[in-house]
Amino acid sequence: MTTRSLWRSRAKLAFAATAIFTGGAAATIATSEDPATALKLCTAVPVRLARDTITAASIAFDYEYSLWGLPEGSVERSKEKHEVHLRSARKLQELCFRNGGIYIKLGQHIGQLEYLVPQEYVQIMRESMLNKCPVSSYDQVCKVFKQELGETPDKIFDEFDPVPIASASLAQVHVARTTDGQKVAVKVQPTHMTDTAATDRAIVELIVNTLHWFFPSFDYRWLVAEMRESLPKELDFLVEAKNSEKCLDNFQKLSPQIANYVYAPKVHWNLSTSKLLTMEFIDAAQINDVRAIQGLGIQPNEVSKLVSQAFAEMMFRHGFVHCDPHAANLLVRPLPSGKRGILGKKKPQLILLDHGLYKELDFSTRFNYASLWKALIFADANSIKENSVKLGAGEDLYALFAGILTMRPWDRVVDPTVDHLVIQDNDNERSELQMYASQYFPEISELLRRLPRVILLMLKTNDCLRAVNNSLLQGSSLETFFIIGKVSSEAVVEAKKLQRKSLLCRLDVWLEEILLEARLLGMQIALWLLQLRRSLPGLN
């Protein structure tokens, strides 16, 4: 009976979606300035929508049928659930590959949600979605070159490898050598990608609006608005090139203390267009390849600290943030100067790739966001509430907002112990977080609807960084939170100095700065003592 009901619900949903699409398609073709492209779009949508519907129904039925009658908490149910998770993750993977485009980006994001979705989904998406996506043929690549630069790759470069070294959601990367002997990485966007992106956006908009019509509490219409704004920028490689240069310029001007430790490949502007991007080739290790990093003579915990500081500087000082820092977009190499640490280990340099998705935080948002993280690090409940409300979470959902940012329940968020935000990499912690995500799904949906889109992108960035740190350290680190606390606190003080003109107000800020330094020193001492205690278990 339950299964019949389930299928009836899906049939209704499919019928409504088809009806909405049919009317929308006719209107789109009739009003479009380019009817041929509009027709291509409207004929592609039903195919991709059908794939989505069939995959979703298949996954839902598999869970319903396979777990039917198995008691909660039983060994049999746990074993069967693992198998269903694997089958469903593979079905979702196949859907992402077949549809391509932003579906790949969706798969990449799922691969970062270490503590919110079943581990089977995370593992399968992470292994396949970061740099092993479907590739375009060499003939298609030549077609792009002819359209953009007037010649095929073999006429433009001395060498050009037709087999890409990486493929992602919106492009693929080939290794080449310029006529003056420089080794370069060439990022190529397939010619069909613009139309595909428009199709995908139309499908997502249709699905989201239909789901909201049936289930008003499921309101992800903000996702459509975000896609509408960000996708055109990600599809223009000249925007990406300018972002990479602006990012490095910000580090030189606003964070000179770590500017040499952060790098982006130089752009060859004469060989770059909106669909082609030619950059300096960087020989480095992928950030989640711990063995390769260690083989370079670099300590993974040093890389983790550098990543935390670099992105804290972007968020709290620069207000210009790389919002797609998944593992395939971050590389590590030894600092070119050869500088070493106290123990003789090489210092790392962080290489930032894929600069298509950036967000700018205005002064007010950056100040409030830095103030919130300062409050989270120091477990200041009143300040957490105050700044969460300012950022749009509301009086009723500020605790949930803090929990999503930190992946900690409220009682841990406000726990005064120095390591209250540290996540241990174990099954109990993961299960607890997944339980919270399931239990509070309606509230999470409402929170995501309320928050400004720029803050939603900060949440995505946090998810990616959390996954990177987890791959480097098998959990989070107290040192990471100390760095975030230090940079956010200093950014708050700097902002207050700019705002307050009178001598009395400046004295207040000066006093706050002294107290902050004392507090950070206390946290640093506690960190040292905790590390000493953990390294010497006999000490109590």
Side-chain angles (χ1 to χ4, degrees), residues 85 114-115 117-124 126 430 434:
H85 284 336
E114 188 83 35
Y115 299 101
V117 298
Q119 187 63 22
E120 293 85 352
Y121 285 83
V122 171
Q123 185 175 349
I124 286 174
R126 189 174 292 178
R430 188 177 292 111
Q434 289 171 355

Side-chain angles (χ1 to χ4, degrees), residues 351-362:
I351 313 297
L352 301 174
L353 305 178
D354 196 349
H355 299 262
L357 183 58
Y358 270 74
K359 279 294 176 182
E360 294 198 53
L361 281 67
D362 59 45

Side-chain angles (χ1 to χ4, degrees), residues 2-61:
T2 303
T3 304
R4 269 203 307 273
S5 174
L6 186 72
W7 278 110
R8 275 201 299 269
S9 297
R10 276 154 185 73
K12 288 179 183 177
L13 198 60
F15 177 79
T18 304
I20 293 169
F21 166 74
T22 304
T28 300
I29 296 170
T31 59
S32 174
E33 295 179 2
D34 184 356
T37 301
L39 178 61
K40 186 194 300 183
L41 173 65
C42 292
T43 52
V45 168
V47 176
R48 299 164 87 82
L49 182 59
R51 287 183 194 145
D52 294 349
T53 304
I54 292 168
T55 302
S58 173
I59 290 173
F61 181 77

Side-chain angles (χ1 to χ4, degrees), residues 49-318:
L49 182 59
R51 287 183 194 145
D52 294 349
T53 304
I54 292 168
T55 302
S58 173
I59 290 173
F61 181 77
D62 196 357
Y63 276 100
E64 191 79 18
Y65 178 78
S66 301
L67 302 179
W68 180 262
L70 297 178
E72 282 287 350
S74 66
V75 175
E76 293 82 1
R77 185 180 179 88
S78 178
K79 183 178 179 181
E80 189 59 39
K81 187 184 286 187
H82 169 69
E83 294 300 323
V84 180
H85 284 336
L86 283 176
R87 288 196 299 270
S88 300
R90 291 189 184 109
K91 289 174 187 174
L92 187 59
Q93 176 197 45
E94 184 183 356
L95 175 70
C96 291
F97 280 160
R98 290 189 70 187
N99 281 354
I102 65 171
Y103 287 83
I104 300 290
K105 296 191 80 66
L106 172 64
Q108 290 173 347
H109 190 47
I110 290 173
Q112 312 307 316
L113 301 179
E114 188 83 35
Y115 299 101
L116 288 182
V117 298
Q119 187 63 22
E120 293 85 352
Y121 285 83
V122 171
Q123 185 175 349
I124 286 174
M125 295 300 172
R126 189 174 292 178
E127 286 173 354
S128 59
M129 293 289 168
L130 292 184
N131 55 15
K132 299 177 184 176
C133 303
V135 301
S136 299
S137 69
Y138 182 60
D139 286 342
Q140 290 174 308
V141 170
C142 289
K143 184 179 179 182
V144 176
F145 268 87
K146 286 285 286 183
Q147 287 180 350
E148 298 298 309
L149 296 177
E151 293 286 356
T152 53
D154 58 300
K155 298 287 197 324
I156 295 171
F157 297 100
D158 267 1
E159 299 173 19
F160 187 89
D161 190 343
V163 179
I165 59 167
S167 54
S169 54
L170 303 179
Q172 60 195 49
V173 179
H174 295 258
V175 177
R177 195 171 294 277
T178 61
T179 53
D180 61 356
Q182 295 183 60
K183 191 175 182 181
V184 293
V186 185
K187 189 172 179 179
V188 184
Q189 183 184 128
T191 52
H192 62 80
M193 187 55 68
T194 303
D195 290 342
T196 303
T199 302
D200 290 339
R201 195 177 70 199
I203 292 172
V204 171
E205 185 166 1
L206 172 65
I207 292 171
V208 168
N209 287 334
T210 304
L211 284 171
H212 179 63
W213 182 46
F214 272 87
F215 312 105
S217 62
F218 186 94
D219 189 0
Y220 279 67
R221 288 174 296 177
W222 56 265
L223 179 62
V224 176
E226 177 54 41
M227 285 169 48
R228 193 179 294 121
E229 179 183 325
S230 63
L231 262 181
K233 295 177 183 176
E234 290 191 76
L235 290 168
D236 187 342
F237 288 168
L238 294 178
V239 171
E240 177 179 341
K242 290 171 185 173
N243 285 345
S244 71
E245 293 193 342
K246 181 176 179 179
C247 173
L248 291 188
D249 190 52
N250 283 342
F251 274 101
Q252 291 290 341
K253 292 177 179 176
L254 303 173
S255 306
Q257 74 279 12
I258 67 162
N260 291 334
Y261 294 86
V262 181
Y263 191 74
K266 289 190 175 78
V267 176
H268 290 249
W269 287 97
N270 61 319
L271 296 173
S272 297
T273 72
S274 63
K275 299 285 188 294
L276 286 172
L277 181 58
T278 304
M279 305 162 285
E280 168 189 9
F281 182 87
I282 303 290
D283 189 12
Q286 196 163 292
I287 203 159
N288 61 350
D289 191 343
V290 173
R291 185 172 295 179
I293 290 170
Q294 291 172 329
L296 294 172
I298 299 170
Q299 292 179 307
N301 70 306
E302 289 296 316
V303 177
S304 173
K305 288 192 288 185
L306 176 56
V307 170
S308 298
Q309 183 162 8
F311 278 86
E313 297 283 340
M314 280 191 256
M315 290 177 186
F316 308 134
R317 280 202 171 100
H318 307 175

